[in-house]
Amino acid sequence: MIVCVAVVGHQNNPLYIQSFTEADDALKLHHIVHCSLDVVDERVNNPKKSGPTLNETFLGLLYPTENYKVYGYLTNTKVKFILVTTDLDVRDADVRNFFRRFHAAYVDAVSNPFHVPGKKITSRTFAERVSTIVKSFGLSSAG
Amino acid sequence: MEPDVSIETSSVIRIAVLPIGTVPPGLLREYQTMLLRQQTIPQSAISSFYTEHQKSPFAHQPWDTGSLRFKFILGGAPPSPWEDFQSNRKILAVIGICHCPSSPDLDSVIDQFNSACKSYASALVHRCFAFCPGDSQLEDGSKKGGNLKLFPPADTQTQEMHLQTMMQDVAASLLMEFEKWVLKAESAGTILKTPLDSQASLNSEEVLKAKKRRLARSQKTIGDYCLLAGSPVDASAHYSTSQELARLTGDYFWYAGALEGGVCALLLDRMGQTDLAMEEEVRYRYNSVIVHYRKSFIQDNAQRVSPLSFELEATLKLARFLCRRELAKEVVELLTSAADGAKSLIDASDRLILFVEIARLYGTIGYQRKAAFFSRQIAQLYLQQENRLAAISAMQVLAMTTKAYRVQSRTSTSEHSLPNKQIGSSHVDGGKMHHHSVVSLFESQWSTLQMVVLREILLSAVRAGDPLAAWSAAARLLRSYYPLITPAGQNGLASALSNSADRLPSGTRCADPALPFIRLYSFPLHPSQMDIVKRNPEREDWWAGSAPSGPFIYTPFSKGESNDSSKQDLIWVVGEPIQVLVELANPCGFDLRVDSIYLSVHSGNFDAFPVSVNLPTNSSKVITLSGIPTSVGPVTIPGCMVHCFGVVTEHLFKDVDNLLLGAAQGLVLSDPFRCCGSAKLRNVSFPNISVVPPLPLLVPHVGGGDGAIILYEGEIRDLWINLANAGTVPVEQVHISLSGKNQDCVISVAHETLKAALPLKPGSEVTIPVTLKAWQLGLADPDPAAGKSAFGSMMRHFKDGSSPTVVIHYAGSLSSSGDPSTVGSSVPPGRRLVVPLQICVLQGLSFVKARLLSMEIPAHVGENLPKPVHVDSQSTERAIGSESKLDRLVKIDPFRGSWGLRFLELELSNPTDVVFDISVSVQLENPSNVDNDSADQDAVEYGYPKTRIDRDCSARVLIPLEHFKLPILDGSFFMKDIQADGPTGSRNSSFSEKNAKAELNASIKNLISRIKVRWQSGRNSSGELNIKDAIQAALQASVMDVLLPDPLTFGFRLVRNALEPAKLDSPNELNSSVQSSASKGPVLAHDMTPMEVLVRNNTKDLIKMSLSITCRDVAGENCVEGAKATVLWAGILSGITIEIPPLQEIKHSFSLYFLVPGEYTLVAAALIDDANDILRARARTHSPDEPIFCCGPPYNVRVIGTA
């Protein structure tokens, strides 16, 4: 189950962060997302590793922490997508698929002429779409 | 667990350092630093202290390359329960530090030291170092011997040498002790236990196992000592033995310990040189260490003791070993597993240490956010301890995280990233944002995390009793996150701020500003009275070119020079107060009281005046901050100093600018000014401000009231401008000029008065009179009601800016005022004082129309033609002196031969509510200015009786045109012109007409300029009517009649003696003569009266005509033409046909016989035959057939006698 998704801007500023848990752990998830930026930064700044996967946007498992697994995705505009999940066995393909759909949703949201680049994404449509994708992630992995 | 562990930790000898007696903390620290330099003692250096008593067990001691390593533990440490397992945990030596001057009795020092050593049972070597002994102590101490080592007072270098020697001795002693211990252990064998071992008794089968196990353990311990002794090869050998035995006996804990020691020995053997293969080896072995530590976990005593800490320690050791950026992933995995293990740790302090280590390692591989996350965990652990010291630690740890969360205090950033220089030069790159601050704006969006961190800092600072840190945290929290904090929370923070401030000494400064937000609003330009203008010493008009002139704000020509100076520059004057407007905003839900706020100036040449402000909830305010520049030089104002919530902070304008820019881009939560309802972002750039030496300062005072000067149209009034020098420097140059609209209303300014007052010393003043004459109101305002509602429209007049201004440029002395620093610079600038003359012009008398009236008075027919009087200046003057007033108005028209009287009638109406008195004067002017006495004649004026016009009335004013001499003087000239041109054709005549007209107009103007119509209203309001145009229009209409003579001139005279004709031959004489009214010849009734009629042809053509003479006895006023005149008697002598050659005159004699005495009128008239065009034009005939009738003026004949 996905507990949190986040969009982080290229200056490491949070653009969108949404948790999908009942519990009051927003702060914890914020911390997890914030800390994952370290790993993203490290992957981005270490060209040695990104050599063969130069155009790969999917960063894979960033790090496991406590009960969570954190996955990352980096667009070519240096916008990061972070996914925090509690599922222990996640297939990479599922995550890739999720990120691809999430990316499309993000692109649609920022293509809104009234959206100011660099500002937080407040679109309700985007939020609804994201929650749909998150729900379907659980389904597709089950099925 | 222990902090700061690494693989090499196993080879470090722990030495407790204990202060003996009283040692001042500063000195203790100094002595400790000296000790710290001796952490590594090479084995080659200790050989001289080393004596081999027995065969050394350390067979492979590397005497050339090896070394002994120490770790000094100040204050010592309690013995660890795991001492047996890892010998390096033991305190193997004790060093006492004694400061002799504070502990004079050496015996007691020794006693104290000995007793202190007792608690360190494991210590093998004891030394007490006594520093700075006195002479007696030296003597005394040398006798004592033993462990007391005295350091004679010497310079630092010598003392350090001494200490080094002592430490080498300690190292040698330790080495020898290790040898002893190892030998003893090998032979006797020791019972080595750990808390992990079960207390239960062993059964027989286990006894055998226990023996082997004991051997394994002792081998491991010997290995440990070998490592401590700096002999890795020996250690390796012992460790491998131990590993074998431990594995056999299943003593995994000790097996892991031996493995760990083996890795340390391996590293030590390689002298720190690592390669990939070696790294792989270490990694492999350590993983096995970790695995075996984990294996050694026994469920039985898990509640009491657990090898987990060793497992975690091993993990951390490996992580530290691998800790490089390239291996970050691996390190992260290790640290993650270590962090997971933290939950199982029993001891809170172990967890603390673990987190500290994890945070440090994350920091080392550049995972700042992770490090910050664990630092926060550490802080939370500290805060659980509920004591002040822990709270201080928590606060300090949290302070370290602030950088990663971008909420750091300004104190920490200003040290390296924001040097003062940058603040000073901030105005140069005005609008640009620093990259650093942009990033921090972006990162500042992690508000959830940032607020938590700041709140925890606040909490820990409060608990730690650090009010300044608490204040700073609360300030940061409030300033950055007020939109996210509820009003109640904001109030809480406000009270936290004030509570903290209560515990701070007053005047405490904090680097982090709280509220309010302050931005630069504007630098008000100098009030117009204080304008500073650049001075061009080479020019007489030194102010020229310095001020923008003309209506254009931008001129392409001034562009080149102005880019470095004009607009961005602001000049302040030493000693003259200046003002800067700033805008404050309080976006929070409480009333903010700013105790004082003043401009913060780093250049030190400025005295700022504090003010206090109250800012209600959600409000912003523009306030004026003032100050006085104190010395010459540039001034930079980076921000404001604010004393608010009990602490003094500096608020930089740049920060708020960045914040507002961020808000505009949507990066920051909200714009504090906007949410207070203030206007949109204004980008006020910092001008370059320079301070110049004192300048003079003129303060004007316009006499006659500071308000508007209310004048009626045409009113003339004097006013006084009082100029006082309020500066400290005398005024030496001054120039007055006028600018603005209606400049010509200022008739005179007393330039000389001002010039004469120079130099105007400070404090002195000068009064210059200025004469004003109100201008005419424009045609745009013809509404007659405007006069009445004038007070209402007064403001409009001001807005129109129709009033002129007096501009005074003044300056002090050219040379600079002796200040050597300014000698090189240009001359001190001058100033411009603008005194607006606030004139409000009300509609006064309004002019309705003007007419020229002429009237003729019949001349008496006398014996002679009237006596000629020369109309030149002298004669006029004489006439003035001798003749009565009325007489002067009347004059003879030489072409008509009658008395003519001309008036200019002006019809004026008075729409105002005051009464006007009109007086007319005509200024006499000498037409030939070469005359000597012309000067005083200019001044001669004549007054006529005043006319009074009541309010809302209109009246006519008659202006007699007495000296309307033009036709007389210039008539012949015109005549000639016309006559000369007349026959040659009409083509040229139009030209000459024009020419004539121009001359005519010039003459009229000359005349008009001498007529002045003055008015007076009330006591002190007087002026002049501007009616020039009106007069001109009036004259123009009747110009023909006025100027051109009739073609024929008629004159009558009595002939007493026919042999004595009057001299009328000369046309000149005729032209320039007037008849005197004094010649009155008696005409008797019942007597034949011989008379002559003189007819003169004024044209250049021969005129044929039929002359008729009419004599009437008329009892009417108009005896000539009036149809209604009551004619009592009339006789006509008609049909006299005569021809007159050009410009000649003829006489026709006739006689009259009067029967009745009385007044008679003689009129001559002529019907001109065959008139030419000129005559027709003159007569204004409509058809060519119309007869041209030329009528002379009436002559009066008084007939006396008895009826």
Side-chain angles (χ1 to χ4, degrees):
Chain A
M1 172 192 159
I2 292 177
V3 292
C4 180
V5 290
V7 180
V8 181
H10 78 122
Q11 294 281 5
N12 286 340
N13 49 325
L15 297 177
Y16 178 82
I17 186 159
Q18 180 65 52
S19 59
F20 298 95
T21 53
E22 307 294 314
D24 183 23
D25 53 0
L27 179 64
K28 189 157 108 189
L29 293 170
H30 267 78
H31 270 298
I32 288 170
V33 172
H34 187 244
C35 289
S36 69
L37 295 177
D38 274 333
V39 189
V40 175
D41 273 359
E42 196 252 333
R43 300 254 170 112
V44 171
N45 297 333
N46 253 345
K48 191 184 75 189
K49 274 190 185 160
S50 57
T53 56
L54 195 62
N55 291 324
E56 179 59 67
T57 49
F58 180 56
L59 298 173
L61 178 66
L62 296 180
Y63 69 109
T65 175
E66 299 176 44
N67 309 318
Y68 305 109
K69 280 184 160 181
V70 185
Y71 288 87
Y73 182 91
L74 180 74
T75 72
N76 43 14
T77 52
K78 297 263 194 294
V79 174
K80 294 117 192 160
F81 300 146
I82 308 290
L83 165 68
V84 184
T85 174
T86 47
D87 296 337
L88 289 179
D89 51 340
V90 183
R91 277 181 299 165
D92 257 14
D94 282 344
V95 183
R96 271 174 206 274
N97 187 33
F98 167 83
F99 275 130
R100 213 174 47 242
R101 295 174 66 190
F102 190 72
H103 194 175
Y106 168 76
V107 167
D108 286 352
V110 295
S111 301
N112 181 347
F114 297 104
H115 172 77
V116 179
K119 253 190 166 174
K120 293 203 177 191
I121 301 171
T122 50
S123 156
R124 220 180 310 131
T125 321
F126 177 71
E128 280 164 17
R129 204 163 148 192
V130 166
S131 68
T132 316
I133 298 172
V134 165
K135 271 177 204 145
S136 72
F137 175 79
L139 291 174
S140 74
S141 76
Chain B
M1 282 188 74
E2 289 180 345
D4 213 10
V5 287
S6 66
I7 294 177
E8 287 89 348
T9 307
S10 316
S11 64
V12 177
I13 303 162
R14 292 193 187 180
I15 299 176
V17 177
L18 307 173
I20 303 300
T22 46
V23 183
L27 282 171
L28 183 64
R29 213 168 296 132
E30 202 177 297
Y31 297 142
Q32 196 211 357
T33 29
M34 272 165 69
L35 270 177
L36 284 177
R37 291 197 196 104
Q38 312 298 332
Q39 272 181 332
T40 306
I41 305 288
Q43 291 181 13
S44 53
I46 64 176
S47 51
S48 56
F49 301 95
Y50 173 77
T51 39
E52 194 170 23
H53 298 287
Q54 297 158 280
K55 174 100 178 69
S56 169
F58 308 135
H60 303 93
Q61 188 93 10
W63 283 104
D64 301 330
T65 53
S67 56
L68 269 69
R69 288 191 274 169
F70 298 136
K71 180 179 180 182
F72 300 102
I73 300 173
L74 191 63
S80 157
W82 304 92
E83 275 185 350
D84 279 354
F85 176 61
Q86 284 175 335
S87 304
N88 64 303
R89 287 180 189 256
K90 288 179 192 160
I91 300 284
L92 293 169
V94 177
I95 290 177
I97 287 181
C98 167
H99 185 61
C100 291
S102 53
S103 350
D105 186 3
L106 289 179
D107 285 325
S108 83
V109 167
I110 291 172
D111 288 345
Q112 279 180 43
F113 178 64
N114 286 339
S115 64
C117 286
K118 282 203 180 96
S119 51
Y120 297 97
S122 57
L124 303 172
V125 176
H126 310 92
R127 290 285 188 281
C128 185
F129 296 156
F131 293 92
C132 304
D135 287 346
S136 58
Q137 284 173 322
L138 264 178
E139 242 173 74
D140 195 25
S142 57
K143 281 182 243 159
K144 294 267 171 5
N147 289 332
L148 185 67
K149 301 288 174 194
L150 291 174
F151 285 69
D155 58 289
T156 325
Q157 214 178 350
T158 320
Q159 246 180 9
E160 253 176 54
M161 265 248 299
H162 199 159
L163 185 68
Q164 192 182 17
T165 317
M166 285 298 168
M167 286 313 294
Q168 285 166 356
D169 175 42
V170 170
S173 312
L174 275 170
L175 187 56
M176 291 187 281
E177 289 297 326
F178 291 160
E179 282 173 0
K180 261 189 241 167
W181 195 94
V182 169
L183 286 172
K184 196 175 83 188
E186 268 182 334
S187 58
T190 43
I191 307 295
L192 296 164
K193 279 199 161 226
T194 63
L196 213 52
D197 295 323
S198 75
Q199 310 296 314
S201 57
L202 307 166
N203 57 28
S204 60
E205 188 193 341
E206 282 170 333
V207 170
L208 189 69
K209 209 173 173 184
K211 202 176 176 187
K212 272 188 185 167
R213 195 174 269 190
R214 204 165 61 217
L215 193 61
R217 290 184 181 190
S218 89
Q219 282 297 318
K220 195 257 170 198
T221 311
I222 291 169
D224 283 351
Y225 275 98
C226 291
L227 268 187
L228 292 174
S231 173
V233 180
D234 290 314
S236 263
H238 288 289
Y239 280 135
S240 19
T241 319
S242 167
Q243 281 166 34
E244 286 297 316
L245 291 167
R247 201 174 56 218
L248 285 175
T249 53
D251 195 358
Y252 296 121
F253 188 63
W254 285 80
Y255 175 72
L259 265 179
E260 212 180 345
V263 178
C264 179
L266 179 70
L267 281 182
L268 220 57
D269 193 30
R270 296 288 172 91
M271 303 292 294
Q273 290 166 347
T274 53
D275 50 33
L276 269 181
M278 162 93 165
E279 200 175 280
E280 200 53 46
E281 173 77 17
V282 170
R283 193 181 291 145
Y284 171 76
R285 287 213 215 168
Y286 245 97
N287 279 329
S288 133
V289 168
I290 294 164
V291 167
H292 282 97
Y293 273 132
R294 199 173 294 157
K295 255 190 198 171
S296 60
F297 179 78
I298 303 161
Q299 196 58 51
D300 303 350
N301 50 14
Q303 298 301 317
R304 187 171 52 86
V305 70
S306 150
L308 180 64
S309 63
F310 286 91
E311 181 196 332
L312 296 177
E313 230 168 56
T315 312
L316 291 177
K317 280 177 183 174
L318 179 58
R320 173 150 291 160
F321 176 72
L322 297 172
C323 193
R324 285 197 305 279
R325 291 237 163 180
E326 306 88 78
L327 302 175
K329 199 174 177 193
E330 216 169 326
V331 177
V332 169
E333 275 166 18
L334 286 170
L335 293 178
T336 308
S337 67
D340 282 342
K343 275 175 285 188
S344 322
L345 276 174
I346 303 156
D347 191 356
S349 65
D350 276 358
R351 204 176 299 157
L352 191 62
I353 291 166
L354 178 70
F355 282 155
V356 168
E357 290 300 305
I358 290 175
R360 289 169 73 178
L361 289 171
Y362 269 126
T364 317
I365 56 168
Y367 280 28
Q368 298 300 337
R369 297 179 187 89
K370 271 279 189 194
F373 174 77
F374 280 103
S375 303
R376 214 192 120 238
Q377 305 275 344
I378 297 163
Q380 281 180 329
L381 287 175
Y382 272 128
L383 285 177
Q384 282 166 13
Q385 293 183 20
E386 307 263 337
N387 67 53
R388 186 161 167 267
L389 289 174
I392 292 175
S393 305
M395 194 181 81
Q396 284 169 347
V397 170
L398 283 171
M400 287 191 280
T401 69
T402 55
K403 188 160 176 278
Y405 290 117
R406 313 272 177 195
V407 287
Q408 66 260 59
S409 159
R410 187 83 60 64
T411 353
S412 57
T413 53
S414 62
E415 278 161 14
H416 29 90
S417 68
L418 284 173
N420 258 353
K421 193 181 65 177
Q422 198 185 347
I423 295 171
S425 65
S426 61
H427 66 271
V428 175
D429 47 8
K432 274 188 278 174
M433 274 173 93
H434 298 283
H435 178 70
H436 171 80
S437 48
V438 177
V439 172
S440 71
L441 278 182
F442 276 113
E443 296 256 339
S444 71
Q445 297 187 19
W446 291 97
S447 45
T448 322
L449 309 182
Q450 289 159 338
M451 283 169 70
V452 166
V453 169
L454 284 175
R455 206 175 293 151
E456 281 170 3
I457 292 178
L458 175 60
L459 181 69
S460 59
V462 168
R463 201 181 286 176
D466 184 344
L468 187 57
W471 199 96
S472 157
R476 276 178 278 167
L477 199 51
L478 194 55
R479 187 178 173 88
S480 306
Y481 304 104
Y482 67 89
L484 302 176
I485 303 173
T486 58
Q490 291 174 353
N491 268 318
L493 284 174
S495 56
L497 283 171
S498 358
N499 290 343
S500 307
D502 288 345
R503 302 215 252 132
L504 286 168
S506 71
T508 306
R509 291 192 173 225
C510 181
D512 300 299
L515 293 175
F517 291 89
I518 302 174
R519 70 173 166 188
L520 191 62
Y521 192 76
S522 69
F523 280 98
L525 292 172
H526 288 285
S528 60
Q529 304 182 348
M530 296 166 73
D531 258 350
I532 291 175
V533 290
K534 237 187 235 163
R535 202 160 163 196
N536 185 354
E538 283 137 39
R539 292 179 62 166
E540 181 65 26
D541 47 345
W542 47 264
W543 57 89
S546 57
S549 55
F552 302 109
I553 296 167
Y554 170 84
T555 54
F557 307 108
S558 65
K559 179 67 179 164
E561 56 189 334
S562 71
N563 57 1
D564 58 339
S565 51
S566 71
K567 286 228 171 80
Q568 290 295 309
D569 274 17
L570 209 57
I571 297 175
W572 288 351
V573 181
V574 169
E576 286 182 20
I578 55 86
Q579 294 183 330
V580 174
L581 295 182
V582 296
E583 187 172 13
L584 311 184
N586 168 25
C588 291
F590 51 83
D591 288 357
L592 183 65
R593 158 118 195 124
V594 180
D595 294 324
S596 76
I597 172 170
Y598 55 93
L599 294 172
S600 143
V601 174
H602 290 236
S603 42
N605 53 352
F606 186 84
D607 282 345
F609 302 146
V611 292
S612 66
V613 193
N614 266 320
L615 284 167
T617 305
N618 272 322
S619 69
S620 68
K621 221 179 231 181
V622 176
I623 62 164
T624 306
L625 297 178
S626 52
I628 291 186
T630 52
S631 67
V632 178
V635 172
T636 51
I637 303 182
C640 288
M641 298 304 289
V642 173
H643 188 235
C644 187
F645 291 116
V647 168
V648 181
T649 51
E650 181 172 25
H651 294 235
L652 298 178
F653 295 134
K654 188 182 49 139
D655 288 349
V656 175
D657 286 348
N658 285 347
L659 182 74
L660 296 180
L661 212 53
Q665 292 172 4
L667 303 178
V668 199
L669 294 167
S670 89
D671 178 343
F673 290 94
R674 212 148 166 205
C675 70
C676 289
S678 178
K680 245 186 86 67
L681 171 70
R682 303 165 36 112
N683 210 351
V684 180
S685 58
F686 280 84
N688 289 317
I689 304 167
S690 54
V691 178
V692 296
L695 297 179
L697 175 65
L698 288 182
V699 177
H701 174 76
V702 177
D706 287 332
I709 305 157
I710 298 166
L711 299 175
Y712 290 103
E713 284 174 312
E715 180 169 347
I716 298 173
R717 192 181 289 179
D718 284 341
L719 58 96
W720 288 268
I721 298 177
N722 188 329
L723 297 173
N725 186 0
T728 54
V729 174
V731 179
E732 303 207 346
Q733 292 183 343
V734 74
H735 176 265
I736 300 181
S737 56
L738 295 170
S739 75
K741 289 183 184 167
N742 294 313
Q743 287 183 25
D744 50 356
C745 82
V746 178
I747 297 172
S748 74
V749 178
H751 296 270
E752 282 68 30
T753 318
L754 189 53
K755 285 261 161 39
L758 293 180
L760 196 61
K761 293 263 184 309
S764 56
E765 55 182 47
V766 63
T767 303
I768 46 172
V770 173
T771 308
L772 292 180
K773 181 182 172 191
W775 61 89
Q776 297 297 119
L777 284 178
L779 287 174
D781 197 18
D783 181 11
K788 281 172 187 164
S789 63
F791 288 97
S793 63
M794 201 184 295
M795 289 318 293
R796 192 157 50 94
H797 285 297
F798 290 151
K799 273 180 212 146
D800 290 346
S802 55
S803 299
T805 49
V806 176
V807 181
I808 302 173
H809 288 93
Y810 61 98
S813 70
L814 258 179
S815 62
S816 44
S817 55
D819 189 352
S821 65
T822 57
V823 168
S825 66
S826 55
V827 290
R831 291 196 125 151
R832 176 176 52 214
L833 171 67
V834 176
V835 185
L837 299 173
Q838 296 187 334
I839 301 171
C840 175
V841 177
L842 302 183
Q843 192 182 22
L845 284 179
S846 72
F847 171 79
V848 181
K849 66 178 177 186
R851 268 193 303 176
L852 192 68
L853 299 178
S854 70
M855 145 181 192
E856 287 178 325
I857 299 170
H860 283 278
V861 179
E863 213 165 300
N864 297 308
L865 280 170
K867 210 189 282 173
V869 178
H870 291 283
V871 189
D872 54 21
S873 58
Q874 276 111 10
S875 69
T876 314
E877 197 179 9
R878 239 179 281 125
I880 293 157
S882 61
E883 291 178 32
S884 72
K885 230 182 196 178
L886 191 69
D887 287 341
R888 280 192 287 109
L889 302 178
V890 186
K891 63 184 178 189
I892 295 287
D893 183 342
F895 293 99
R896 302 268 299 170
S898 68
W899 300 94
L901 187 57
R902 290 183 194 277
F903 291 100
L904 186 66
E905 187 202 61
L906 299 174
E907 192 174 342
L908 301 171
S909 79
N910 176 10
T912 66
D913 46 8
V914 290
V915 177
F916 283 93
D917 286 324
I918 306 292
S919 62
V920 176
S921 68
V922 178
Q923 192 175 20
L924 288 183
E925 193 190 29
N926 189 355
S928 56
N929 282 327
V930 289
D931 277 2
N932 297 333
D933 48 0
S934 63
D936 54 31
Q937 285 194 4
D938 279 344
V940 178
E941 288 182 2
Y942 299 103
Y944 297 106
K946 286 181 176 172
T947 312
R948 187 183 177 93
I949 308 179
D950 282 334
R951 41 191 283 194
D952 290 330
C953 289
S954 58
R956 294 180 184 188
V957 180
L958 288 179
I959 304 172
L961 298 181
E962 180 195 9
H963 297 279
F964 197 57
K965 297 183 295 236
L966 172 80
I968 308 167
L969 290 171
D970 298 333
S972 64
F973 172 74
F974 279 114
M975 208 58 233
K976 273 176 204 158
D977 256 2
I978 290 169
Q979 284 167 343
D981 293 335
T984 52
S986 59
R987 209 180 47 198
N988 277 346
S989 77
S990 66
F991 168 75
S992 76
E993 279 289 329
K994 263 186 210 161
N995 203 8
K997 268 216 172 104
E999 288 284 337
L1000 189 69
N1001 287 342
S1003 309
I1004 291 172
K1005 264 185 193 145
N1006 180 38
L1007 173 80
I1008 290 168
S1009 68
R1010 284 186 285 132
I1011 300 172
K1012 292 206 189 312
V1013 181
R1014 300 239 164 87
W1015 54 261
Q1016 195 172 12
S1017 170
R1019 210 148 30 126
N1020 51 10
S1021 177
S1022 66
E1024 198 175 312
L1025 273 184
N1026 185 6
I1027 50 165
K1028 287 191 167 72
D1029 293 342
I1031 297 177
Q1032 186 152 3
L1035 289 180
Q1036 211 74 273
S1038 51
V1039 68
M1040 293 275 254
D1041 295 330
V1042 173
L1043 293 178
L1044 295 182
D1046 291 338
L1048 297 170
T1049 307
F1050 303 94
F1052 292 94
R1053 69 176 171 187
L1054 296 174
V1055 182
R1056 294 284 185 216
N1057 187 355
L1059 299 174
E1060 202 181 355
K1063 272 179 144 188
L1064 284 168
D1065 299 305
S1066 155
N1068 271 340
E1069 202 179 334
L1070 180 75
N1071 284 348
S1072 60
S1073 69
V1074 288
Q1075 280 177 311
S1076 166
S1077 61
S1079 60
K1080 283 182 182 173
V1083 176
L1084 297 173
H1086 307 291
D1087 199 3
M1088 185 61 82
T1089 311
M1091 294 179 106
E1092 272 181 337
V1093 59
L1094 295 153
V1095 184
R1096 180 178 159 77
N1097 181 359
N1098 289 324
T1099 69
K1100 279 192 167 181
D1101 294 315
L1102 181 93
I1103 294 179
K1104 277 191 220 167
M1105 61 181 174
S1106 146
L1107 177 74
S1108 61
I1109 297 162
T1110 310
C1111 183
R1112 290 171 180 170
D1113 179 5
V1114 182
E1117 280 183 355
N1118 188 345
C1119 52
V1120 182
E1121 290 160 24
K1124 289 178 190 170
T1126 316
V1127 178
L1128 298 178
W1129 180 89
I1132 300 171
L1133 189 66
S1134 60
I1136 310 159
T1137 306
I1138 44 175
E1139 284 186 6
I1140 311 173
L1143 297 176
Q1144 295 291 314
E1145 79 178 353
I1146 57 152
K1147 274 179 253 178
H1148 180 81
S1149 303
F1150 63 95
S1151 296
L1152 289 176
Y1153 186 86
F1154 293 98
L1155 295 173
V1156 183
E1159 298 278 334
Y1160 292 86
T1161 301
L1162 274 173
V1163 177
L1167 197 66
I1168 299 172
D1169 301 329
D1170 304 331
N1172 60 15
D1173 288 344
I1174 296 173
L1175 289 174
R1176 284 190 186 284
R1178 176 70 185 89
R1180 294 196 186 99
T1181 53
H1182 299 292
S1183 67
D1185 302 333
E1186 203 175 321
I1188 293 172
F1189 184 73
C1190 197
C1191 185
Y1195 276 70
N1196 195 13
V1197 181
R1198 173 172 284 181
V1199 180
I1200 52 174
T1202 52

